[in-house]
Amino acid sequence: MDFELWWLLGIPVFFALGWIAARVDIHQLVSESRSLPRNYFKGLNFLLNEQHDKAIDAFIEVVKLDPESADMHFALGNLFRRRGETERAIRVHQNLLARPDLPLEQQGHAAYELGMDYLKAGLLDRAEETFNSLVDTQYAAQARRALLEIYQREKEWPRAIEAAVGLQESGAGARQKEIAQFYCELAHDALVHMKPDDAMPLLEKALQTDRKSVRATILTGDVLLARGDTEGALTTWRRVEQQSVPHVALVAQRLMDGYTKVGRAQEGVNLLRSYLEEASSIDLIEVVFKAVIELDGVEAAKQLVSAELRRTPTLLGLDKLLEARMMDAPAAIWSELSMVKNLVHGYTQKLARYQCSHCGFKARQFYWHCPGCNRWETYPPRRTEELNVMN
């Protein structure tokens, strides 16, 4: 490639042009920053230091000086909402929407923020109306997510399914797990109202949506049992093992009751004991423990609990062992065992909780839908102490 000497002359020229452009940008930046009110920077500083009250006061002064500043109104409205002052947040965003000169993009933004104000205030009808007006705008995904939250709060499961499907089809992420749970909610309602025939098609849709839905499988067994098909229910509940071995603890009592009903209680005990070998669980031990006492006696139950306690040492397991020991303990030591049992049992009540893996919310019963963070299937089917031992 031929080299021309005059190319060297272009280097200082380009350097000079770059220097001039940088000076122009810096000059513009400085002039713009000087034009901003001093309270704007004070408000930012208060925000960075988590002093929301002072930040609001500073931003209110800015809005007074420049009523046309839409961005400042957005900041102020969001601060009000975060502080729980939803009425003031609503007024700020309503005033923005009432401005005839507000650009179309900012109109959508203001409507979305107003919908979030309504949602935070618990005005679900107004929030739903506002978000529905945004489903054909650039805020469609955010609006559908908010609508999904509203329908779940109101337990409007058909509309929740519709909203979740819309989100999934729009490319906003997979929602199979939630959709399956919504079908399960509808099926559960049908079962509660003694309509098993209405529940079955809903559960079929749930399993078509999410083949790994343990809840749908459990409820399908419940429907078969309600129809009088105990053998079919047992076959269905056993499928839980194929979906998630730890979740068999949730169907252990159903399985034991079912096998007892058809006259094959020992087969049920043997099955549950095989599950214990795969996934030890206090809830599972509880069911097997009671069944072994009835079928094989106290000594066999003590051996069962002792073996499980050696394999997985927990206070919950010790509590169960003490219960077994007290059943045939001599009178001389029964009172002492009773005292120890009461002390251990009192402490284990704090450990015998299920805990949400997302928000940490603890509960005495197992939930498919966390009451703390409103997420689905975030509860492991094991008690907190068992999880700590495993970790």
Side-chain angles (χ1 to χ4, degrees):
M1 180 179 178
D2 295 334
F3 178 78
E4 299 290 344
L5 185 62
W6 63 269
W7 287 2
L8 294 175
L9 299 176
I11 294 176
V13 173
F14 288 122
F15 178 80
L17 290 174
W19 182 83
I20 293 171
R23 295 289 295 174
V24 169
D25 290 342
I26 292 171
H27 179 74
Q28 183 178 357
L29 181 63
V30 170
S31 63
E32 288 179 356
S33 65
R34 285 175 178 170
S35 66
L36 290 172
R38 184 168 177 268
N39 281 319
Y40 175 80
F41 296 102
K42 287 176 63 178
L44 285 179
N45 185 56
F46 288 137
L47 270 183
L48 291 172
N49 289 286
E50 298 292 329
Q51 295 175 284
H52 294 157
D53 291 344
K54 294 181 179 179
I56 285 175
D57 293 337
F59 287 144
I60 286 175
E61 291 301 317
V62 176
V63 169
K64 288 179 180 178
L65 293 172
D66 184 10
E68 303 300 314
S69 175
D71 290 336
M72 194 55 58
H73 281 77
F74 285 129
L76 193 56
N78 289 337
L79 277 173
F80 283 140
R81 187 169 69 233
R82 287 181 62 183
R83 279 174 42 86
E85 298 182 48
T86 51
E87 290 186 8
R88 299 179 75 181
I90 289 170
R91 285 200 300 271
V92 168
H93 293 128
Q94 283 177 335
N95 290 338
L96 267 176
L97 279 173
R99 282 172 45 179
D101 61 331
L102 194 67
L104 187 62
E105 180 180 349
Q106 290 188 334
Q107 287 178 18
H109 187 186
Y112 173 73
E113 296 295 345
L114 180 61
M116 295 302 293
D117 296 337
Y118 288 143
L119 187 59
K120 180 70 178 288
L123 304 173
L124 301 186
D125 290 342
R126 294 185 183 181
E128 181 181 350
E129 181 182 354
T130 303
F131 290 127
N132 274 322
S133 69
L134 295 171
V135 293
D136 294 322
T137 70
Q138 62 179 335
Y139 289 91
Q142 297 96 315
R144 286 196 176 99
R145 278 193 285 269
L147 286 169
L148 181 58
E149 180 181 343
I150 291 170
Y151 298 145
Q152 290 181 79
R153 284 196 198 181
E154 296 181 333
K155 299 188 184 302
E156 295 187 22
W157 305 119
R159 301 182 76 179
I161 291 170
E162 183 181 350
V165 169
L167 271 171
Q168 188 167 266
E169 291 177 348
S170 69
R175 298 279 174 169
Q176 291 98 327
K177 184 185 296 184
E178 291 165 280
I179 295 169
Q181 286 290 345
F182 300 154
Y183 280 120
C184 286
E185 288 289 335
L186 290 169
H188 181 263
D189 289 344
L191 272 173
V192 168
H193 292 92
M194 308 298 290
K195 297 179 181 179
D197 291 338
D198 292 346
M200 188 59 83
L202 294 166
L203 294 170
E204 289 172 355
K205 289 181 179 178
L207 287 167
Q208 288 171 5
T209 304
D210 180 13
R211 285 291 174 189
K212 295 182 179 181
S213 176
V214 172
R215 188 186 185 190
T217 300
I218 294 174
L219 287 173
T220 300
D222 292 347
V223 169
L224 292 171
L225 185 67
R227 288 176 170 178
D229 184 4
T230 305
E231 290 288 356
L234 289 171
T235 301
T236 301
W237 288 328
R238 289 187 64 170
R239 291 183 193 141
V240 171
E241 181 189 9
Q242 301 169 11
Q243 295 174 309
S244 171
V245 174
H247 281 85
V248 296
L250 301 180
V251 290
Q253 192 62 61
R254 288 176 169 88
L255 285 166
M256 196 63 239
D257 291 343
Y259 277 108
T260 302
K261 185 176 181 179
V262 298
R264 305 205 310 271
Q266 190 61 58
E267 183 180 341
V269 170
N270 294 339
L271 174 66
L272 295 183
R273 293 190 77 155
S274 70
Y275 289 158
L276 273 176
E277 294 293 326
E278 295 183 68
S280 180
S281 161
I282 291 297
D283 292 327
L284 190 51
I285 291 173
E286 178 75 27
V287 177
V288 179
F289 176 75
K290 291 178 181 178
V292 169
I293 288 175
E294 293 179 7
L295 292 173
D296 304 322
V298 174
E299 190 59 36
K302 286 193 293 187
Q303 292 175 7
L304 167 75
V305 178
S306 295
E308 289 301 318
L309 188 58
R310 283 193 295 270
R311 187 168 62 167
T312 311
T314 63
L315 281 176
L316 292 166
L318 177 60
D319 183 44
K320 189 56 59 182
L321 178 62
L322 290 170
E323 180 181 339
R325 294 291 186 191
M326 287 178 62
M327 289 180 179
D328 60 357
I333 65 169
W334 193 91
S335 60
E336 293 180 1
L337 276 176
S338 177
M339 180 179 64
V340 175
K341 168 74 169 63
N342 290 336
L343 286 172
V344 173
H345 184 74
Y347 186 72
T348 56
Q349 291 305 297
K350 301 176 183 178
L351 302 174
R353 306 287 180 92
Y354 296 101
Q355 183 173 1
C356 174
S357 60
H358 181 259
C359 72
F361 187 90
K362 293 182 180 180
R364 292 184 181 276
Q365 69 182 74
F366 180 86
Y367 285 107
W368 294 103
H369 187 219
C370 177
C373 62
N374 294 318
R375 290 177 178 257
W376 293 93
E377 298 185 34
T378 54
Y379 275 86
R382 287 192 171 96
R383 307 286 179 167
T384 53
E385 189 192 12
E386 296 175 277
L387 293 173
N388 292 334
V389 169
M390 292 172 62
N391 294 331

